[in-house]
Amino acid sequence: MLPGDDRQRADGRPFAADLARATGLDVTLVAESRGLSLAERLFGDARDLTDYLVVDLSDGLTMGLVCGGRSVSGRNGLAGGFGHMALGPGGAVCGCGSRGCLETPAGDLALAEGVGQALGRPMTVEQAVEAVRSGVPEARQAFEENLEWLSVGMAALINGLNPQAVFLHGALLDAADDTLARLTVGVVRRALAAGMKDCVLRRSRAFREQAAVGAAIERLVSQRGPTLK
Ligand SMILES: [Zn+2]
């Protein structure tokens, strides 16, 4: 699995086909966030849901989406790259080359960047989370701003996709005991009331190894299952 848009960085080569040729194995390439959404259905709390999102805050902002019971991958498997929605057109330059993408001020990497800038030294995500938890004022301020942007983004997703649930992954959730509750308050303030009425934000219980299992099962069911004799 690769984080969604990392597949664009594979020198234009068909990575899965190259790997299949080199190993002689059946290889399928799935965006990690899509794998997480499949894992949520198999191993987490989405077993009975038909419309839900799994948002991964850990490496940029990516999303796996299930709509009407179907896992959505898009034409090239890139669906879910919502971190590149330019919600702040005058904002910072993003790794994608655009400016003001949501993932520049929101998510785990943005927290490390924001806290590091405020404290004048480079920081890992873990160090930034610890600084917030410890109550360092500059770190708390960076966290508040990050949370504000995240709530803007979550509300946009909910307004646009009308899910039953949004499951979240990310170290940022550990920065305070009430992160999820506060994020929910921010989203409720911004999202359309009718869409938010039946939607919950939850922390995901599925983990990354399960995402690979979910992706493999999806591949077997969707592409191999119909041809078995
Ligand atoms: Zn971008």
Side-chain angles (χ1 to χ4, degrees):
M1 289 185 300
L2 290 176
D5 53 3
D6 277 6
R7 278 172 297 174
Q8 295 181 89
R9 299 173 202 156
D11 300 329
R13 297 283 312 165
F15 184 63
D18 284 354
L19 198 56
R21 205 165 19 250
T23 61
L25 298 172
D26 182 10
V27 176
T28 186
L29 195 58
V30 173
E32 190 172 49
S33 52
R34 181 164 176 247
L36 288 170
S37 71
L38 297 167
E40 198 64 47
R41 182 157 59 190
L42 287 167
F43 308 110
D45 294 318
R47 286 166 193 256
D48 301 320
L49 304 185
T50 56
D51 296 86
Y52 64 92
L53 314 175
V54 173
V55 170
D56 189 3
L57 311 175
S58 62
D59 186 6
L61 293 179
T62 57
M63 167 179 67
L65 57 159
V66 171
C67 298
R70 283 190 57 239
S71 170
V72 177
S73 61
R75 177 68 184 90
N76 297 314
L78 296 171
F82 83 104
H84 299 292
M85 290 193 300
L87 295 183
V93 175
C94 177
C96 74
S98 185
R99 186 178 280 279
C101 294
L102 181 60
E103 69 180 40
T104 58
D108 286 0
L109 298 180
L111 184 68
E113 177 76 17
V115 174
Q117 274 186 7
L119 296 178
R121 61 179 187 274
M123 297 205 110
T124 64
V125 172
E126 291 72 24
Q127 289 169 332
V129 167
E130 188 49 42
V132 177
R133 282 205 76 86
S134 304
V136 177
E138 295 90 341
R140 292 287 312 181
Q141 177 64 28
F143 175 63
E144 297 299 330
E145 290 169 10
N146 200 308
L147 217 51
E148 184 85 1
W149 275 109
L150 267 183
S151 68
V152 169
M154 296 293 111
L157 291 181
I158 290 167
N159 288 347
L161 295 167
N162 190 201
Q164 297 160 283
V166 180
F167 298 94
L168 294 151
H169 288 266
L172 181 146
L173 300 171
D174 294 323
D177 292 339
D178 60 351
T179 302
L180 192 57
R182 294 186 46 218
L183 184 59
T184 302
V185 168
V187 172
V188 167
R189 202 166 64 233
R190 292 183 170 86
L192 297 170
M196 200 61 220
K197 183 167 62 74
D198 297 317
C199 180
V200 292
L201 268 66
R202 305 178 71 166
R203 186 166 193 157
S204 173
R205 286 197 301 121
F207 47 87
R208 291 179 196 280
E209 289 79 2
Q210 293 174 331
V213 176
I217 291 174
E218 161 85 356
R219 160 82 170 178
L220 290 171
V221 170
S222 65
Q223 296 190 26
R224 291 301 187 91
T227 63
L228 288 177
K229 292 204 168 62

